[in-house]
């Protein structure tokens, strides 16, 4: 199924953009005209993707992000807004997995995966939402146009 969408003038923040689905989401958003902030721990891979997106006419920025660290989350979102503008779209994609068999997963392994995949995603969404809400109330720079 093909469709066209114009995201010109929008800013998308994509976590886990260094590989897999995050990388693909970033490509699609850039093709649709969004400025894309590529966020992940593997900054070298993000820089390669940024070069690819820019070579194709897209606009992208890179920021290191560890979703397991609330300080890193706040810093990455602040960097994104400073460099690209207010975030309109969040693709909250960062995540990890374990390669162990189910019967071999320890409580520590489980807590680590859930800490990144659930807690991390929650606090990224919270940080972006705080900024979207502040814009909607006129308490932060930018024009509120909704968020996704």
């Amino acid at each position: 199924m093909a469709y066209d969408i114009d995201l010109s003038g929008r800013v998308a923040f994509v976590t886990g953009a260094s590989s897999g689905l995050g990388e693909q989401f970033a490509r699609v958003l850039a093709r649709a005209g969004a400025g894309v902030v590529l966020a992940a721990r593997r900054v070298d891979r993000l820089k390669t993707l940024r070069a690819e997106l820019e070579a194709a006419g897209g606009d992208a920025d890179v920021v290191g992000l560890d979703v397991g660290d609330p300080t890193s989350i706040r810093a990455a979102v602040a960097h994104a807004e400073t460099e690209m503008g207010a975030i309109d779209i969040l693709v909250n994609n960062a995540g990890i997995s374990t390669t162990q068999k189910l019967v071999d997963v320890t409580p520590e392994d489980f807590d680590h995966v859930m800490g990144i995949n659930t807690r991390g995603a929650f606090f990224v969404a919270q940080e972006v939402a705080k900024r979207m809400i502040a814009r909607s109330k006129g308490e932060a720079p930018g024009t509120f146009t909704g968020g996704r």
Side-chain angles (χ1 to χ4, degrees), residues 50-63:
R50 175 181 59 193
E52 175 191 323
L53 298 178
E54 289 176 345
D59 186 19
D61 191 52
V62 167
V63 64

Side-chain angles (χ1 to χ4, degrees), residues 4-5 19 34 41 43 50-51 63 76 82 94 109 125 128 140 146:
D4 290 320
I5 186 168
S19 64
R41 291 176 298 147
V43 174
R50 175 181 59 193
V63 64
T82 297
D109 297 330
V128 172

Side-chain angles (χ1 to χ4, degrees), residues 2-148:
Y3 64 94
D4 290 320
I5 186 168
D6 182 9
L7 296 175
S8 300
R10 304 291 185 161
V11 174
F13 187 80
V14 182
T15 70
S18 61
S19 64
L21 289 172
E23 186 176 356
Q24 187 59 29
F25 290 137
R27 285 188 180 105
V28 169
L29 289 162
R31 274 196 306 269
V36 182
V37 180
L38 309 168
R41 291 176 298 147
R42 297 177 293 188
V43 174
D44 56 323
R45 289 187 180 199
L46 298 176
K47 289 178 180 178
T48 300
L49 178 57
R50 175 181 59 193
E52 175 191 323
L53 298 178
E54 289 176 345
D59 186 19
D61 191 52
V62 167
V63 64
L65 170 64
D66 177 355
V67 300
D69 177 3
T71 300
S72 177
I73 293 168
R74 285 188 297 277
V77 172
H79 171 89
E81 289 199 336
T82 297
E83 296 300 315
M84 298 288 283
I87 296 169
D88 301 298
I89 301 162
L90 170 61
V91 179
N92 208 350
N93 173 75
I96 60 171
S97 63
T98 181
T99 58
Q100 299 146 300
K101 293 179 182 178
L102 174 75
V103 296
D104 295 330
V105 174
T106 67
E108 294 79 19
D109 297 330
F110 180 85
D111 290 345
H112 180 66
V113 170
M114 293 302 288
I116 298 299
N117 297 358
T118 304
R119 184 178 186 270
F122 176 87
F123 286 109
V124 170
Q126 181 187 65
E127 184 65 23
V128 172
K130 285 178 184 178
R131 292 161 184 267
M132 287 180 173
I133 291 167
R135 284 196 335 263
S136 76
K137 294 178 177 179
E139 298 168 358
T143 303
F144 181 72
T145 56
R148 308 286 181 267

